[in-house]
Amino acid sequence: MSGGPFDTLVDTAKSVFDAASHKPLLEAWQGLGLAEIRADLATRLIAAGIEEGPDESRFLINHVLAPVRLADALADPALFSWQAADELAALAWRRLARVPLSQVLGSQPFWTLDLAVSSDVLTPRADTEALVEAVLAEAGEATARLVDLGTGSGAILLALLSERPGWSGLGVDLSAPALAIATANADRCGLANRAEFMQGRWGAGLADGSVDILVSNPPYIVSDILAGLEPEVRDHEPALALDGGVDGLDAYREIIADLPRLLVSNGLFALEIGHDQGVTVSALAREAGLVDIRVLPDLAGNDRVVLGRRVGAANQTDG
């Protein structure tokens, strides 16, 4: 069975990715070369609402081919086996159903790390690297006890530990499956000896004055907005890590209220925020008696991090 004229691919895409298995997609590729399969897949991805279809088709093919290079496989058809085509069809079928690419591939690059992900954790975003950069710049290299509340995949905690060999860290999450992913990532990144994980709600189980640096990327999406999110997020990422309540600030209220108790004198905190939450989250921090409050942007120039400190002996006023 051939794939049919190329100009019919958009019309047939939905019947393929709505099918109960990837076999119809594999059958559509029978008799096609790798270049034709790549073009077919890119078109189907675009038809499914994935604008980056050409790039994602390349990512999926590279994943199946590894360690063979795509250019080599295009030049030598023998390097792309029917078994590889079957694996590609299985992965592509999931992506066409709008499962996030990171979950299809099973991992996501973040900072200098490659982290395992699943539907139990948020896929680490490049925007969150702004928080990592801010903490590294502000905290210096002195030995520190780091805590990541709502750690998810462990992305923030592990990125920071990878840059500071003298730091140790604790990741806290309410989700046991998320903690299993984070624990596996610590081992995957060679950081298990300095990272530990605990199930709990925010900082409730932590001792007074036990944290030098506290970081968090809490849920901050307004509840009413969740239904309108892209399918990758709405249908395949945990609502527990997304839903910030009626105004998106529920988690911030709880975390910030506890910061004066948790942080050591002059201890540092950094919270990821939504692009329009800088003013409100900063106000919550000031109301809690925290000082040196700043709002920092991500690479796109959007507000992304609220950073500040607990008052210390040499720092008695908000700067």
Side-chain angles (χ1 to χ4, degrees):
M1 176 180 176
S2 70
F6 186 76
D7 60 3
T8 68
L9 290 175
V10 172
D11 296 332
T12 61
K14 291 189 181 297
S15 65
V16 171
F17 65 74
D18 286 340
S21 82
H22 70 279
K23 295 304 181 183
L25 183 57
L26 185 63
E27 291 173 1
W29 290 345
Q30 198 167 15
L32 300 182
L34 180 56
E36 295 170 300
I37 290 174
R38 180 185 179 187
D40 178 353
L41 177 54
T43 300
R44 294 176 188 272
L45 290 166
I46 292 170
I50 301 168
E51 295 180 0
E52 300 81 9
D55 288 336
E56 292 206 8
S57 66
R58 175 169 49 86
F59 296 151
L60 289 163
I61 291 171
N62 281 335
H63 181 81
V64 169
L65 287 175
V68 176
R69 296 189 311 145
L70 175 57
D72 294 335
L74 288 169
D76 182 358
L79 294 176
F80 185 67
S81 67
W82 193 242
Q83 290 80 8
D86 183 73
E87 181 183 356
L88 176 63
L91 297 177
W93 174 76
R94 294 187 68 214
R95 185 64 186 111
L96 288 165
R98 301 299 294 266
V99 176
L101 182 65
S102 59
Q103 292 180 24
V104 172
L105 300 181
S107 66
Q108 173 73 13
F110 180 78
W111 200 247
T112 61
L113 309 175
D114 186 55
L115 301 175
V117 296
S118 76
S119 58
D120 294 310
V121 299
L122 291 182
T123 294
R125 270 73 163 176
D127 289 343
T128 302
E129 293 187 357
L131 188 153
V132 175
E133 291 177 349
V135 171
L136 292 174
E138 182 72 16
E141 301 195 19
T143 300
R145 174 65 168 172
L146 171 70
V147 169
D148 180 11
L149 299 183
T151 194
S153 67
I156 297 172
L157 177 75
L158 298 174
L160 288 168
L161 293 182
S162 74
E163 296 287 345
R164 294 291 185 265
W167 292 7
S168 62
L170 171 68
V172 179
D173 206 291
L174 196 59
S175 166
L179 289 172
I181 294 289
T183 301
N185 277 329
D187 186 62
R188 179 188 183 108
C189 298
L191 296 166
N193 62 324
R194 292 190 286 121
E196 56 183 328
F197 299 93
M198 181 182 82
Q199 188 171 15
R201 183 176 179 84
W202 307 127
L206 304 180
D208 295 0
S210 61
V211 183
D212 296 304
I213 303 169
L214 188 143
V215 296
S216 183
N217 177 17
Y220 55 71
I221 298 174
V222 173
S223 298
D224 287 347
I225 293 177
L226 290 176
L229 297 177
E230 289 293 311
E232 286 85 347
V233 179
R234 182 191 66 225
D235 300 333
H236 298 285
E237 293 196 312
L240 181 66
L242 295 168
D243 191 344
V246 173
D247 62 359
L249 299 173
D250 284 0
Y252 295 105
R253 292 188 181 94
E254 194 166 342
I255 292 170
I256 289 172
D258 212 16
L259 287 177
R261 179 184 72 83
L262 294 173
L263 290 170
V264 300
S265 177
N266 211 40
L268 175 70
F269 73 90
L271 307 175
E272 180 166 340
I273 58 169
H275 68 91
D276 58 352
Q277 294 174 321
V279 172
T280 52
V281 174
S282 295
L284 289 172
R286 291 190 176 93
E287 289 168 8
L290 299 161
V291 298
D292 297 336
I293 310 299
R294 282 163 283 161
V295 180
L296 304 178
D298 57 24
L299 288 177
N302 297 314
D303 288 352
R304 188 59 56 191
V305 180
V306 170
L307 179 144
R309 292 184 180 274
R310 178 191 168 192
V311 68
N315 185 4
Q316 297 297 327
T317 60
D318 191 352

